[in-house]
Amino acid sequence: MRHLLSAFLLLLCLPSIQAQNEPWKGKFEPIDNMIAPPNTYRTASGAPGKDYWQQCANYHIKVLLNEKNNTISGEETITYFNNSPDDLSYLWLQLEQNVNKKGNEDFGTFNNNVKDSISARQMQFLTRAIDFPAGYSIKMVKDASGNNLKTMVNNTMMKVKLNTILKSGESTGFSIAWSYPITDRSMYLLSREGYEYFPEDGNTVYLIAHWFPRMAVYNDTEGWQNQQFQKLGEFALEFGDYHVEITVPDDHIVASTGTLQNSEEVLTKAQRSRLETARKTFDKPIMIITKEEAQANEKTKAIKQKTWKFNATNVRDFAFASSRKFLWDAQAVKLPTNTVMGMSFYPKEGLPVWQEESTKAVTQALEVYSEATFDYPYPVAISVNTSNIGMEFPMISFNGGRPKNGKISDAAKQDMIGTIIHEVGHNWFPMIVSSDERKWMWMDEGLNTFLHQRTLAERYPDFNSTTPKSIVPFMNGDKNILRPIMTTSDSELLNQFGANFYMKPTVGLQMLRNSIIGTELFDEAFKEYANRWKYKHPNPSDLFRTLEDATATDLDWFYRGWFFTTDHVDMELSNVKWFKVFEEDSNIEDKNKNKKVKIAATEKNDDEQANGFSNGPEVITMTNTPDTAYGEFLSRLDDKEVRKQLSGKNIYEVTIKNVGGLVMPVTIEWVFTDGTTETDRLPAEIWRTNEYEVKKTFIKAKEVSKVNLDPNFEFADTDVNNNSFPKVENQSEFDAFKNKKKGK
């Protein structure tokens, strides 16, 4: 052990391994000090522990949508179950509608520069020149006995002070009456809900979300999750059962979370019959409300009202859409363990593409996501057409993408279908695998985008999709302003959050699946994570640990670099040396007579790189192994057999530098002089003893004309111009080579 230790100490002193006075970066050190330690609530394997707990909140809600003055008013009774080990003297509820309330704390705008020729809408975002009413009016908060409860509102959070301590293991009930003005979605940025007005026919589509005071999460890692809603970071919510009665104008159609309880009261006989047909139709959507019926509906506005009743079990939120403009189609989707109804609601302005593509996209998402995780457990999955932004809720999503005068470009159609798949996919992350969106946006957006991209690759292969190459411009950005993935949601810069919370985690998971762990093993581990944490609240550490636990793969080096730093991948193929072993009986000496090539130990200069392999191999001799090399071992290597195995072979010593700082596996493509190719794959662990430069020796029967690193762009290398030997002079040359290789 002493001799081995001495050898390692000698290696550590080499300048090529660690520059003097440079701090040790520890790219392969465990990340234990960077994530929460395991405990009885969350185990070291990444699974919920034996003492894991979470709270529960059940809701009974009656709500009225007033179309004349665009308001929502309602009453709700919440039954809150304290499953924590703690006694609670107060509760926190979310009041997201207050984020736009005049006079409330201003969290800053997302477009804060005034410039010449600024549009009126942009100026409205900046100044709120045309004011609009917003925010809750809380009319009463009472306990189960009818006694008033004291409250304190801090912007988007409301503290309810209990009259009696809520003991561990007990529950409490209380009621709230409230109202708020529904906001015009065109009036402000990131409008996830509100109304959209259609001047042509004078009608409105209402997208009602974040509409009732909701329980904040209380958990084992931070107590109350009562961060203010700042528009970017979304929601952390508890699971529960919902009984909701929605009163709307008599001619409105309601799409909602949950199962409709009184179809005979709100649907016509024809609509109910069509819906029953749709429940048995698996190959195409059935129209429940046709274009002609929707257009007839638009012409008159009902004075009477009717109430739609919905129940939803074990969901973390509730949303609905309401309008007399809706067309409605539905189709049954058969999954291995259950049958789901895929549905779409859209105004005539969505035709024809929404009728052709929306429910089809819902079906594709349900099938691929179910296969990748667990079967979709809810009875319906609904896509509602809206303008601009897409937004997700349990069983229902609001999705942008709309033709103009009945026509839509291929790019816009792809965006629309991608949005539908993405928002339906959010049913898994975070609606069931319920991570904290307000703190870790990447845990839902990144994981969901990963499966969204997988769905596109499998079901829409002609569509553009995210690959490791997609993230290169972002990874190659200014390190002074870039932030790591492990940044809380509202702390991310607006011009980065799409790349950092959606694309970069997606690419990271693609690398793990396709190039680091392997498809079969990764898919099993990802499914393990989803099933461990469905209907629960995972943290980043739970994901990190589960992927390692279920694959027997040390991934701390990957997590450290990809999630916790802004390092990028830039591997440089700095040199390739070509050798052949001298043999007396061979013709090597004749072939290289009087011109043994002496290659310096240092790297070739640019001229020499350009020459590549044209100077031929360096012919080297291989001596017999001295007995002293074996130490106390009595057995001996057959030196002649080694010579025999190397006879006529080509030996290539490859030198690779880590320029970008992010360690990754190494893929080497060999292009032989006869035009054939071969690929070698080296694990990331080759960088363990030297994080800055590695050398690796290969034996090839054929002579090599070119060597390429990362030939299939698997690792988001930011500079492909230094990935080849002989050196590629420009990007166009590299692209031409790649296109030729792919047969383009």
Side-chain angles (χ1 to χ4, degrees):
M1 193 66 188
R2 183 182 62 206
H3 298 302
L4 189 59
L5 180 61
S6 298
F8 277 127
L9 289 175
L10 179 61
L11 283 173
L12 290 173
C13 293
L14 292 176
S16 62
I17 295 176
Q18 179 61 38
Q20 291 184 355
N21 301 321
E22 184 181 350
W24 176 247
K25 294 181 180 179
K27 299 181 190 300
F28 286 92
E29 292 298 303
I31 62 168
D32 295 354
N33 64 332
M34 305 172 77
I35 58 177
N39 50 44
T40 59
Y41 306 130
R42 299 167 189 270
T43 69
S45 70
K50 63 183 180 67
D51 295 326
Y52 177 83
W53 56 268
Q54 66 187 44
Q55 310 290 64
C56 176
N58 294 337
Y59 297 82
H60 282 74
I61 308 175
K62 293 182 178 181
V63 61
L64 170 66
L65 190 159
N66 189 321
E67 188 176 31
K68 289 184 178 180
N69 57 17
N70 288 324
T71 60
I72 282 282
S73 57
E75 294 186 5
E76 64 184 291
T77 298
I78 303 174
T79 304
Y80 184 73
F81 297 86
N82 182 14
N83 299 319
S84 79
D86 309 320
D87 296 341
L88 302 175
S89 60
Y90 55 82
L91 310 175
W92 281 102
L93 281 80
Q94 300 181 9
L95 303 179
E96 283 89 357
Q97 291 295 329
N98 283 357
V99 75
N100 292 303
K101 192 171 187 176
K102 186 176 181 180
N104 262 18
E105 182 178 350
D106 182 5
F107 291 117
T109 66
F110 299 108
N111 182 17
N112 54 8
N113 56 315
V114 178
K115 58 184 178 181
D116 187 31
S117 300
I118 189 172
S119 73
R121 186 166 185 259
Q122 287 176 313
M123 188 61 82
Q124 169 68 16
F125 294 157
L126 292 176
T127 65
R128 196 162 167 168
I130 300 175
D131 200 13
F132 54 89
Y136 283 103
S137 295
I138 303 296
K139 300 176 181 179
M140 69 87 174
V141 182
K142 296 180 180 291
D143 65 17
S145 300
N147 300 312
N148 289 328
L149 292 170
K150 293 182 179 179
T151 63
M152 182 179 296
V153 175
N154 178 11
N155 201 18
T156 63
M157 301 298 300
M158 180 171 71
K159 187 178 189 179
V160 176
K161 301 178 182 179
L162 300 175
N163 293 330
T164 304
I165 297 292
L166 179 58
K167 299 286 188 180
S168 173
E170 296 181 351
S171 65
T172 188
F174 60 101
S175 300
I176 307 174
W178 44 266
S179 66
Y180 70 86
I182 307 171
T183 52
D184 183 340
R185 295 182 60 244
S186 67
M187 293 285 282
Y188 62 100
L189 283 171
L190 290 179
S191 51
R192 294 171 170 84
E193 47 71 45
Y195 69 83
E196 179 181 4
Y197 180 67
F198 290 77
E200 182 179 322
D201 53 55
N203 286 296
T204 305
V205 170
Y206 293 92
L207 307 175
I208 307 301
H210 323 143
W211 53 282
F212 59 98
R214 305 177 293 179
M215 292 303 308
V217 165
Y218 184 80
N219 64 26
D220 61 282
T221 56
E222 61 183 317
W224 286 108
Q225 167 46 295
N226 54 10
Q227 289 179 230
Q228 296 289 342
F229 178 44
Q230 301 180 39
K231 293 190 178 181
L232 271 185
E234 292 178 351
F235 313 106
L237 299 162
E238 301 287 11
F239 287 96
D241 297 340
Y242 286 76
H243 302 277
V244 181
E245 299 181 13
I246 305 168
T247 300
V248 296
D250 186 67
D251 51 2
H252 271 218
I253 297 296
V254 175
S256 176
T257 300
T259 303
L260 181 62
Q261 302 297 300
N262 62 333
S263 60
E264 71 285 349
E265 297 176 11
V266 295
L267 300 179
T268 67
K269 184 177 180 180
Q271 291 165 354
R272 295 199 303 273
S273 176
R274 294 167 184 169
L275 196 53
E276 283 305 309
T277 301
R279 296 185 194 282
K280 303 170 187 175
T281 304
F282 296 89
D283 59 342
K284 63 180 180 180
I286 301 298
M287 294 305 301
I288 313 302
I289 297 178
T290 66
K291 175 185 177 182
E292 292 72 25
E293 291 167 335
Q295 285 180 311
N297 225 10
E298 290 178 342
K299 294 178 181 178
T300 58
K301 295 185 179 180
I303 299 174
K304 293 183 179 180
Q305 299 173 333
K306 68 183 170 189
T307 299
W308 298 60
K309 299 178 181 179
F310 294 89
N311 287 350
T313 301
N314 206 17
V315 294
R316 65 171 230 166
D317 199 2
F318 193 102
F320 67 94
S322 182
S323 180
R324 64 177 54 84
K325 289 179 64 65
F326 282 148
L327 288 77
W328 175 11
D329 68 52
Q331 174 184 336
V333 183
K334 183 65 177 176
L335 301 176
T337 59
N338 65 320
T339 298
V340 180
M341 291 300 293
M343 298 181 180
S344 295
F345 294 75
Y346 41 94
K348 65 179 185 299
E349 287 78 7
L351 293 171
V353 67
W354 266 76
Q355 185 174 346
E356 297 167 349
E357 299 291 350
S358 178
T359 300
K360 177 183 175 182
V362 172
T363 300
Q364 308 303 327
L366 289 173
E367 292 176 349
V368 175
Y369 277 72
S370 293
E371 181 184 356
T373 55
F374 47 79
D375 284 356
Y376 183 81
Y378 296 133
V380 296
I382 298 171
S383 171
V384 180
N385 179 224
T386 180
S387 56
N388 300 324
I389 199 168
M391 191 59 198
E392 73 280 358
F393 309 94
M395 305 187 219
I396 187 170
S397 56
F398 307 152
N399 301 310
R402 187 177 290 161
K404 294 182 179 179
N405 300 318
K407 296 182 179 180
I408 189 168
S409 68
D410 288 343
K413 183 177 178 179
Q414 287 189 24
D415 284 346
M416 183 202 89
I417 292 171
T419 297
I420 294 169
I421 290 170
H422 183 90
E423 304 305 342
V424 171
H426 270 305
N427 277 283
W428 281 266
F429 306 98
M431 298 303 155
I432 299 173
V433 183
S434 184
S435 54
D436 183 349
E437 296 177 272
R438 190 151 296 176
K439 192 167 187 179
W440 304 116
M441 183 185 288
W442 71 266
M443 283 199 73
D444 70 286
E445 295 296 356
L447 272 61
N448 180 46
T449 303
F450 167 66
L451 289 185
H452 154 209
Q453 294 298 320
R454 177 174 164 182
T455 305
L456 291 181
E458 293 183 10
R459 302 301 175 91
Y460 299 89
D462 294 334
F463 282 21
N464 295 323
S465 58
T466 296
T467 67
K469 195 173 183 180
S470 307
I471 198 67
V472 166
F474 174 72
M475 298 288 286
N476 210 18
D478 183 355
K479 294 295 189 290
N480 292 317
I481 61 173
L482 288 184
R483 297 174 182 177
I485 293 174
M486 289 293 288
T487 302
T488 55
S489 305
D490 286 303
S491 298
E492 186 56 90
L493 301 178
L494 184 64
N495 63 349
Q496 293 184 21
F497 89 97
N500 220 17
F501 290 155
Y502 292 69
M503 192 181 298
K504 189 177 175 185
T506 293
V507 169
L509 292 172
Q510 289 174 340
M511 289 177 178
L512 290 176
R513 182 177 191 248
N514 300 327
S515 306
I516 297 173
I517 296 174
T519 301
E520 184 177 0
L521 196 55
F522 175 88
D523 287 352
E524 203 169 277
F526 193 81
K527 184 174 289 190
E528 181 71 25
Y529 166 74
N531 281 275
R532 280 179 174 182
W533 290 98
K534 63 181 177 182
Y535 304 115
K536 296 182 177 67
H537 301 311
N539 290 328
S541 57
D542 303 313
L543 172 64
F544 294 154
R545 288 179 171 128
T546 295
L547 292 182
E548 289 191 325
D549 178 70
T551 63
T553 307
D554 177 10
L555 297 172
D556 281 19
W557 62 270
F558 183 82
Y559 300 147
R560 177 183 288 273
W562 196 256
F563 287 90
F564 288 91
T565 77
T566 59
D567 289 347
H568 63 279
V569 179
D570 181 7
M571 296 183 191
E572 177 187 335
L573 183 55
S574 63
N575 201 8
V576 180
K577 296 181 181 180
W578 178 20
F579 302 95
K580 283 195 173 184
V581 176
F582 171 75
E583 295 182 75
E584 290 183 359
D585 296 335
S586 75
N587 62 356
I588 296 178
E589 189 173 36
D590 293 335
K591 182 178 178 181
N592 297 282
K593 194 172 184 178
N594 299 321
K595 65 167 204 172
K596 281 191 179 181
V597 181
K598 299 299 182 183
I599 300 178
T602 56
E603 300 172 9
K604 292 184 177 183
N605 60 38
D606 289 343
D607 291 337
E608 290 172 317
Q609 281 230 10
N611 290 332
F613 303 104
S614 61
N615 290 330
E618 177 181 359
V619 180
I620 59 174
T621 58
M622 191 176 71
T623 63
N624 290 329
T625 308
D627 287 342
T628 55
Y630 290 98
E632 297 176 355
F633 289 110
L634 299 180
S635 60
R636 293 293 183 268
L637 185 69
D638 188 340
D639 290 346
K640 291 184 178 180
E641 181 61 26
V642 174
R643 286 192 179 90
K644 180 180 177 182
Q645 294 298 326
L646 293 174
S647 177
K649 303 290 178 59
N650 301 283
I651 301 171
Y652 294 95
E653 180 192 78
V654 175
T655 302
I656 304 167
K657 288 187 175 182
N658 178 6
V659 178
L662 203 57
V663 295
M664 279 289 165
V666 175
T667 304
I668 303 174
E669 179 188 58
W670 306 89
V671 182
F672 299 109
T673 53
D674 64 1
T676 60
T677 62
E678 183 178 297
T679 301
D680 285 305
R681 294 180 175 274
L682 307 176
E685 283 74 12
I686 64 168
W687 301 98
R688 280 188 177 276
T689 56
N690 186 338
E691 298 173 354
Y692 310 100
E693 180 180 290
V694 295
K695 293 179 185 290
K696 184 71 176 177
T697 302
F698 301 85
I699 301 172
K700 301 296 176 185
K702 300 178 182 180
E703 291 186 4
V704 171
S705 63
K706 195 175 191 66
V707 185
N708 297 305
L709 292 183
D710 195 17
N712 298 315
F713 304 105
E714 296 175 76
F715 300 110
D717 196 310
T718 60
D719 183 6
V720 295
N721 291 310
N722 61 12
N723 282 19
S724 296
F725 185 94
K727 183 179 180 181
V728 172
E729 295 302 323
N730 54 56
Q731 181 66 49
S732 61
E733 182 182 343
F734 187 85
D735 290 341
F737 171 77
K738 289 305 301 175
N739 290 337
K740 181 180 179 181
K741 179 176 181 295
K742 294 176 181 178
K744 294 183 179 179

